[in-house]
């Protein structure tokens, strides 16, 4: 059920922004009639299969590829030694601290493997099945080394080492206010440790790569979120000149951060196509993906909160262990630090102290996964706020009201140093509690507790905010991030008056083509249907910073809007000449340039044709109406909201069932309500998945046990409740449309809402935490004091 959808403007509304348009791209995406990377069939294509380490940690004594070379269909067989001189090291673009250890990370292992699934050899054959079959003939002699799996044990004296430099990757600290004073003589101190389990991104489309060469130019097709960043990093890694490298991201079936990466397979296929002079292709299997797609989360959070007896929060201390896995990938060390600025959430406090230690283990590296640090931070603060409410005997929402930033206090600079530009937490919470029936559910909960009903009712609260729109560039530079946060766009007026938009934001399911068309239609006054959007190809859209961190609309969309403004400026100048009027006397309105106070004017289509013919242009004016723009905001955007969850927990079996879920989000100005609803629903599914279902599990030897979707439980529609969603609207002030990010909001808010509900149901039994995922077994064990 979607309460917000009722507010969408009717189809007859002239304005496109705010209109619930069906997505243009769905005609091809939903039917599958499009160009996915795996669909690409180039003449003479060869297929690649990788032999991957079965051991979590071992020295490679010998790789014998000879037995595979003569098998049917095999064209080439390579080991890491064959690429050692040219493969370089996979990049880490976020050197977060002076003490950061960045181990060499060869795309194909040469001397040592450090996680199960690391590539040690590959076969190139005439089809993918012959390539896969030939892997069995390759002989590898390993000298096993101890696996390192537990972060606390990895940091202990005498621990087995993942790298010669040790198991500590870095230490990063932040302090605001006097934390000692905040805790000194504090009447209430809540001390908790929470575990963020390791998660596996499960995009609908597996990773796939096709590489080809034409003389000294290489083209790489990849199911990637970051074609522009990938091009730069591949050039730096392989030595291929950037201007001789083209990266194309065709339609991409989801990413959630898992395709925000420079992968071993992308590097190696480029090297192979240069050696063989033929196209090469690789598409992962789902089990291969679970092993080798970078993982998410995997943190241990030690959280301490000091408060007065009236519930006012005095200070917050966070000591975080973050599992890096075996290597640092593109933004691995920066992910937990994105959360560093959000542990305070929407709350005012006197002091805040944060410490993060990155730890190497012999597991698949972690990196960005939907929310990237912000879900972990929100989980910790929202869980510990519920613990404080329970300690004081105060309603969880009332406790939050006593501590959050009031709407009249914006803009507000938090204890973590961020300036929240706008928000109205009271309005979102009031709307959520009304839709949820909060008071009635609390009354039902009291009745069930009094009657000792074996099925108890729990109510979970999550009042969140997040920083998104990963920018501005100066702030990212201060955090040592290896790139900027700007975005680029070009708007082209065609001779017939149609519009082409070229955007550096590369969509993988977000609906850019529709939303950008709505923005352009309103700005230029042209029909929505007359706008097309080009993206994802560095030869077509040569400039961009790509798509991640809920930055597409707030950064990329604003670049499009700015380019439209430049087009209109040009149109005014040319139309003034055509109308024999002063430029100061004409105005652009409703798709036309008109002389004020008269009926004289020219439509943008007429101006576009006049520019094309160039018969009568002002002196010195080029015959083009196109414009480019780059947008780099001054601040992040800060969506917020209130999520409420009611869960029924069977105390005899441990089974938890979500009975109702309400999400009221504030994402600023809404461009397309349907897209917003889709993003919220998808985010809720992923956040609930972490709370109840998903976990990457390793055994004592470092083998991943959850290698298939039969073992790693991704929730389906049948596993999820119906959602009631709605919105409040507090425009951002950091961009001209007042928009905020939405792509990660549902994931960030939902996990603590669900776990808070489960713990709330179990509090009468002395339970104050259940480790995620809150499976029936774990709930049952919590109820029974950890009984086996």
């Amino acid at each position: 059920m979607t309460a917000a959808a009722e507010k969408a403007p009717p189809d007859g509304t002239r304005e496109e922004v705010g209109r619930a348009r069906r997505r243009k791209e769905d005609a091809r995406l939903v039917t599958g009639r499009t160009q996915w990377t795996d669909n690409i069939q180039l003449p003479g294509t060869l297929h690649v299969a990788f032999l991957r380490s079965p051991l979590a940690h071992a020295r490679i004594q010998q790789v014998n590829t000879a037995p595979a070379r003569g098998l049917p269909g095999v064209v080439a067989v390579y080991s890491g030694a064959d690429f050692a001189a040219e493969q370089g090291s996979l990049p880490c673009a976020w050197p977060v601290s002076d003490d950061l250890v960045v181990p060499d990370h060869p795309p194909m292992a040469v001397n040592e493997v450090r996680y199960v699934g690391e590539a040690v050899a590959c076969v190139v054959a005439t089809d993918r099945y012959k390539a896969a079959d030939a892997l069995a003939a390759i002989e590898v002699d390993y000298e096993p080394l101890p696996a390192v799996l537990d972060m606390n044990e990895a940091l202990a004296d005498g621990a087995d080492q993942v790298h010669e430099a040790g198991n500590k990757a870095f230490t990063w600290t932040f302090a605001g206010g006097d934390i000692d004073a905040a805790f000194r003589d504090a009447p209430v101190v809540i001390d908790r440790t929470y575990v963020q389990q390791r998660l596996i991104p499960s995009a609908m489309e597996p990773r796939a790569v096709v590489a080809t060469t034409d003389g000294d130019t290489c083209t790489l097709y990849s199911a990637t979120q970051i074609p522009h960043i990938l091009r730069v990093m591949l050039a730096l890694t392989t030595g291929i000149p950037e201007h001789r490298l083209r990266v194309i991201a065709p339609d991409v079936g989801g990413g959630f951060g898992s395709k925000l990466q420079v992968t071993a397979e992308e590097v190696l296929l480029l090297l192979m196509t240069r050696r063989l002079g033929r196209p090469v292709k690789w598409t992962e299997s789902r089990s291969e993906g679970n092993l080798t797609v970078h993982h998410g989360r995997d943190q241990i959070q030690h959280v301490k909160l000091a408060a007065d007896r009236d519930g006012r929060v005095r200070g917050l201390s966070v000591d975080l262990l973050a599992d890096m896995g075996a290597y640092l990938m593109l933004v691995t060390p920066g992910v937990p630090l994105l959360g560093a600025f959000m542990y305070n959430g929407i709350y005012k406090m006197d002091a805040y102290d944060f410490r993060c230690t990155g730890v190497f283990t012999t597991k698949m590296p972690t990196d960005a996964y939907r929310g990237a640090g912000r879900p972990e931070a929100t989980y910790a603060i929202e869980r510990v706020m519920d613990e404080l409410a329970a300690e004081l005997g105060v309603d969880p929402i009332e406790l939050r009201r006593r501590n959050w930033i009031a709407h009249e206090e914006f803009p507000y600079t938090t204890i973590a140093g961020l300036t929240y530009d706008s928000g109205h937490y009271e309005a979102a919470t009031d709307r959520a509690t009304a839709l949820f029936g909060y008071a009635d559910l609390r009354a039902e909960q009291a009745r069930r507790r009094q009657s000792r009903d074996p099925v108890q009712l729990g109510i979970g609260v999550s009042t969140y905010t997040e920083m998104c729109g990963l920018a501005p560039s100066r702030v990212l530079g201060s955090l040592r991030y290896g790139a900027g946060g700007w975005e680029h766009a070009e708007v082209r007026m065609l001779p017939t008056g149609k519009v082409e938009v070229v955007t550096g934001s590369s969509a993988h399911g977000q609906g850019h083509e529709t939303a950008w068309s709505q923005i352009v239609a309103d700005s230029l006054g042209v029909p929505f249907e007359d706008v097309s959007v080009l993206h994802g190809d560095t030869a077509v859209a040569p400039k961009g910073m790509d798509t991640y961190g809920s930055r597409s609309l707030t950064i990329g969309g604003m670049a499009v809007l700015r380019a439209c403004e430049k087009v209109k400026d040009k149109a005014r100048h040319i139309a003034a000449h055509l109308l024999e009027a002063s430029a100061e006397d004409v105005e652009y309105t409703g798709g036309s340039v008109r002389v004020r106070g008269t009926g004289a004017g020219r439509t943008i289509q007429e101006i576009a044709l006049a520019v094309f013919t160039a018969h009568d242009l002002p002196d010195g004016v080029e015959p083009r109406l196109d414009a480019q723009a780059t947008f780099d905001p001054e601040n992040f955007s800060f969506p917020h909201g209130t999520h409420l969850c009611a869960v029924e927990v069977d105390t005899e079996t441990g089974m938890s069932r979500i009975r109702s879920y309400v999400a009221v989000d504030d994402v600023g100005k809404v461009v397309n309500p349907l897209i917003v609803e889709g993003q919220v629903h998808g985010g809720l599914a992923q956040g609930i998945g972490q709370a109840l279902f998903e976990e990457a599990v390793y055994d004592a030897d470092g083998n991943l046990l959850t290698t298939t979707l039969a073992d790693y439980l991704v929730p389906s529609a049948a596993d999820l409740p119906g959602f009631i969603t709605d919105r409040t609207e507090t425009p951002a002030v950091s961009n001209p449309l007042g928009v905020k990010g939405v792509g990660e909001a549902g994931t960030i808010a939902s996990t603590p809402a669900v776990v808070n509900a489960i713990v709330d149901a179990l509090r009468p039994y002395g339970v104050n935490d259940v480790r995620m995922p809150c499976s029936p077994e774990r709930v049952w064990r919590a109820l029974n004091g950890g009984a086996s």
Side-chain angles (χ1 to χ4, degrees), residues 197-228:
Q197 78 270 37
R198 179 173 281 246
L199 301 177
I200 302 175
S202 301
M204 184 178 294
E205 179 197 15
R207 292 179 300 151
V209 183
V210 176
T212 187
T213 183
D214 180 12
D216 60 355
T217 301
C218 293
T219 300
L220 184 85
Y221 301 84
S222 180
T224 179
Q225 297 176 219
I226 53 167
H228 299 92

Side-chain angles (χ1 to χ4, degrees), residues 370 509-511 674-684 742-744 746:
R370 197 170 190 171
Q510 291 90 342
L674 287 180
I675 291 177
V676 168
E677 293 301 331
Q679 290 285 352
V680 170
H681 282 206
L684 292 176
V742 67
E744 296 160 314

Side-chain angles (χ1 to χ4, degrees), residues 64 144 209 417 511 530 694:
N64 182 11
V209 183
D530 285 359
E694 300 183 42

